[in-house]
Amino acid sequence: MELHDGEIDNQIHQSCVTTSMTPDLPLTLVDKPNKRRRKKSIVWDYFTVQTVEDGCIRAYCNQCNKSFAYITGSKLAGTSHLKRHIALGICPVSRERNQSNCAPTTFTNGNAANPPRKRYRATPTFVSIPFDQNRCNHDIAIMIIMHEYPLDMVEQAGFIDFVRSLQPQFNMMSYATVQEECTSIYLREKESLLNFVCGIPSRISLSLDVWISSDTTCYVFLKGHFIDNNWNSHCLMLNVVRIPSLKDDALNLAVLTCVSNWRLDGRVFAFTVDQSFLSDTLARNFRTFLVANDPNFLNGQLLLGNCLAQVLCQLAQSALSSMSEVVWKIRESVKYVKTSFVREEKFLELKGQLQVPCTKELSIDNQTKWDTTFHMLTAACELKEVFSYLEESDPSNDSDPSNELIISTDDWKVAEALCTYLKYFFDVANILTSPCYPTANVFFPEVSKIQTELTNASMSQDPLVRDMTKPLKDKFDKYWNDSCLILAMAVVMDPRYKLKLVKFIFSKVFVQNEEDWTRIVDYGLRDLFLQYTMETLTLSESFGEDGNIDISINETHQEEHQGEIYLTTGDGLSDFDVYISEISENEQTKSELDRYLEEDLFPKSQEFDVLSWWRLNRYRYPTLSKMAYDILSMPVSTVPHDSVFDTEIQRIDSYRRSLPPAILEALICTRDWLRYGSLLSPSPSTEMSDAILKREI
């Protein structure tokens, strides 16, 4: 019966233990079983066992002659450490031999003429990968791009020593070399992305964001938003342009650079900017340029919007500023609890005694991110009873003669009202934090909710609510009036809502003139649909000029039946036949848009994916689906998803400012492209979404 290595080692161990426990037995009786057994482990092709002294046996490497513990008294060391010595290249003789051969190797006994005997189980192997300097250069450049490491790290002593310890053959890159490698990667990725963008059927929407450096130099970040052939949505960085200041001409030049670099002439559909730095002159210039770029689309009404994230941030800051005294009290009270382990333990003990059902964790806010202040206020309001008891039970409060930190009942009412309206802003802003940029159809219900709530609150009988929300409504009205048409058209492209949701919401927001606003959206959709239909007809005419037949089905039908005499069957249903014919003709004259709007709404579900729905229905609505391509990809925000809640303007650090503009653009754009991976791969939820839609259609 064959024994495995572990079983042999156990038997050796048991034999040694038996020897130590039965000293009266002759040594020869104990040694005999070991002599009869043949060691089966692969390590014995590389090691020789020698007895050093009584009760101590060591294993010697046949190549480097280093000794290792094997048996010491009753303790058995086993063979795992012996295997590691060979398999991991610890043995210097074996490592030098493998490096000189530069070929895949397996365990050998150092003698090619005497290969190891055949084993009945798989033997451990290791592979020596040939060294490739170019591949190492490429990998270091990718690492620097992905993790935003400084380019000069390749010349730092600590990094050089670390790399040499891993691979002594590597010739360390210079600063200039790593610059060239990063630029080469950027150019390859850009060429691939440019070919991809030129091949998609949809137009491109642009968003523009501006970062400032310490020397007041500005950096314009231009992103492209589009839907590809597989109905996957993309938001990718296209250009990073350095300009001396926020002058109108400089910003216009940045946009022109983007349009030229990416061959977007006649393909720009919508344009979203941050209203805070947009002057009237610049807005007029952008609109004129984009209308000239493609004059067919509603005379530019869809080509300029506001950044929703910035609008929500301004509203939140305004609300927090109006109640700054209460916010300060709560913040200091939270600091008082969280900065002392004893006080925090006391706070938690009181919470348990009072059985306050709060699941939120109390935390100190980061004042550069307004969502952290919202979470702090929300948690504090739920724990207000605990704060009250803590104030009464903590004697240190008596030492403060002014008692400025004591939060009154009225203060808590203010905080709760503030949290109510911050919650509306937070819910909408939170949608923008998704790494996958959301489609435009999701924003109309959420934004209209803010408009409705602020309108109602501004007319409240409660002076606290009215005074707090009236300035907020005045600020939000401008965004709503400028953007509701765009957002409403986007939600019509959602088969769960269509124009019915627009009518419903407008009836609540525009009580007096709801029909007028609904008619504006309807007219805008039909004008847009007409433009897409004309484009389709133009393409069809061009197709017919190539020699293909370009005759309509109705014309063919009329030619085939000219001069024919129709006879009735005598069943008395000839009038019915005429009726059916008229119905069919009327149905054929209805446009895709009419048929789409008249169909029943698609049932709502959490798994619904609007892009999957259009992918499955693009053949039913060929022209309308082209509209959906462009409308659903319109951006409503300009800031990155991880900066939605920032209250401070984005700034370029001193290291990035020191880089040449071309290198900075290459690093930022390439990182964005590599982070999002392959453009051609469908999203993981595509198959599941398609299956759900097919089941429900």
Side-chain angles (χ1 to χ4, degrees), residues 3 10 27 41 92 98 119 129 143 208 210 356 367 385 410 424 483 515:
L3 296 177
N10 290 336
L27 182 59
S41 176
N98 291 330
R119 300 296 176 185
I129 302 175
M143 177 190 70
L208 184 149
V210 176
V356 178
Q367 296 183 49
E385 187 178 0
D410 291 338
Y424 296 126
S483 304
E515 293 183 357

Side-chain angles (χ1 to χ4, degrees), residues 12-27 30-31 34 73:
I12 296 174
H13 176 67
Q14 291 175 2
S15 300
C16 296
V17 173
T18 304
T19 303
S20 62
M21 295 178 61
T22 56
D24 297 335
L25 292 177
L27 182 59
V30 179
D31 290 341
N34 290 333

Side-chain angles (χ1 to χ4, degrees), residues 401-512:
S402 61
N403 289 327
E404 292 180 351
L405 292 181
I406 295 179
I407 307 173
S408 65
T409 303
D410 291 338
D411 291 336
W412 286 118
K413 289 181 179 180
V414 170
E416 289 172 346
L418 181 59
C419 289
T420 298
Y421 294 96
L422 286 177
K423 178 69 162 56
Y424 296 126
F425 308 151
F426 173 80
D427 288 343
V428 180
N430 198 44
I431 300 175
L432 298 169
T433 61
S434 173
C436 299
Y437 199 88
T439 50
N441 60 297
V442 303
F443 293 101
F444 181 73
E446 302 298 329
V447 170
S448 63
K449 184 188 299 182
I450 295 178
Q451 179 68 16
T452 303
E453 295 297 334
L454 291 180
T455 300
N456 295 335
S458 63
M459 298 182 292
S460 173
Q461 299 298 322
D462 187 343
L464 169 64
V465 174
R466 185 176 62 252
D467 294 342
M468 180 178 65
T469 57
K470 183 64 170 62
L472 303 180
K473 179 185 179 300
D474 295 339
K475 291 182 178 181
F476 194 71
D477 278 346
K478 177 173 174 49
Y479 175 80
W480 172 255
N481 293 331
D482 292 343
S483 304
C484 68
L485 172 63
I486 300 174
L487 300 179
M489 294 180 68
V491 83
V492 174
M493 294 292 103
D494 191 327
R496 298 171 298 173
Y497 305 118
K498 301 184 182 179
L499 202 57
K500 293 181 175 61
L501 180 64
V502 176
K503 293 179 180 179
F504 173 74
I505 290 179
F506 281 174
S507 66
K508 296 193 298 182
V509 178
F510 306 110
V511 180
Q512 303 296 331

Side-chain angles (χ1 to χ4, degrees), residues 138-151 153 159 182 653 655-656 666-668 670-672 674-675:
H138 176 271
D139 290 344
I140 287 180
I142 290 291
M143 177 190 70
I144 289 174
I145 292 171
M146 289 296 295
H147 302 288
E148 300 182 289
Y149 295 142
L151 293 174
M153 71 175 293
F159 183 72
C182 291
D653 56 40
Y655 162 70
R656 284 184 168 183
L667 293 174
I668 293 177
T670 309
R671 179 176 182 267
D672 184 75
L674 295 177
R675 187 170 50 175

Side-chain angles (χ1 to χ4, degrees), residues 163-345:
V163 173
R164 284 178 176 169
S165 67
L166 296 178
Q167 178 50 264
Q169 300 181 49
F170 180 70
N171 294 323
M172 202 60 213
M173 305 170 69
S174 65
Y175 183 87
T177 304
V178 75
Q179 264 195 354
E180 293 175 359
E181 187 65 36
C182 291
T183 303
S184 176
I185 295 172
Y186 163 72
L187 293 176
R188 288 197 300 269
E189 294 293 330
K190 182 177 181 180
E191 182 180 4
S192 176
L193 180 57
L194 179 59
N195 293 333
F196 181 76
V197 169
C198 291
I200 62 174
S202 63
R203 287 174 168 80
I204 310 295
S205 292
L206 299 177
S207 62
L208 184 149
D209 191 21
V210 176
W211 290 27
I212 308 295
S213 66
S214 57
D215 61 354
T216 68
T217 303
C218 301
Y219 295 81
V220 180
F221 289 71
L222 283 151
K223 288 186 177 181
H225 306 254
F226 58 91
I227 294 173
D228 64 21
N229 295 308
N230 296 319
W231 287 89
N232 296 311
S233 178
H234 300 284
C235 169
L236 296 170
M237 190 73 68
L238 298 182
N239 285 99
V240 179
V241 183
R242 186 168 73 178
I243 58 177
S245 63
L246 287 176
K247 292 183 178 180
D248 298 347
D249 294 340
L251 285 170
N252 283 335
L253 180 60
V255 176
L256 284 171
T257 300
C258 179
V259 172
S260 175
N261 286 350
W262 295 93
R263 304 173 190 171
L264 300 181
D265 293 324
R267 298 186 63 196
V268 178
F269 181 75
F271 191 35
T272 305
V273 295
D274 179 6
Q275 197 74 19
S276 61
F277 64 83
L278 189 66
S279 65
D280 293 338
T281 302
L282 184 59
R284 189 164 48 252
N285 290 343
F286 278 159
R287 190 181 298 276
T288 302
F289 163 71
L290 293 171
V291 170
N293 178 66
D294 196 341
N296 295 327
F297 289 91
L298 298 182
N299 197 28
Q301 294 182 62
L302 297 178
L303 299 178
L304 188 63
N306 299 320
C307 175
L308 178 57
Q310 295 291 346
V311 171
L312 295 174
C313 182
Q314 293 169 9
L315 291 174
Q317 286 183 285
S318 178
L320 291 170
S321 177
S322 65
M323 305 298 171
S324 58
E325 182 178 352
V326 174
V327 174
W328 178 82
K329 284 185 179 182
I330 294 177
R331 180 183 293 119
E332 294 301 315
S333 297
V334 172
K335 286 182 181 178
Y336 178 77
V337 172
K338 298 293 291 185
T339 54
S340 169
F341 178 77
V342 176
R343 289 194 293 267
E344 188 171 9
E345 286 293 314

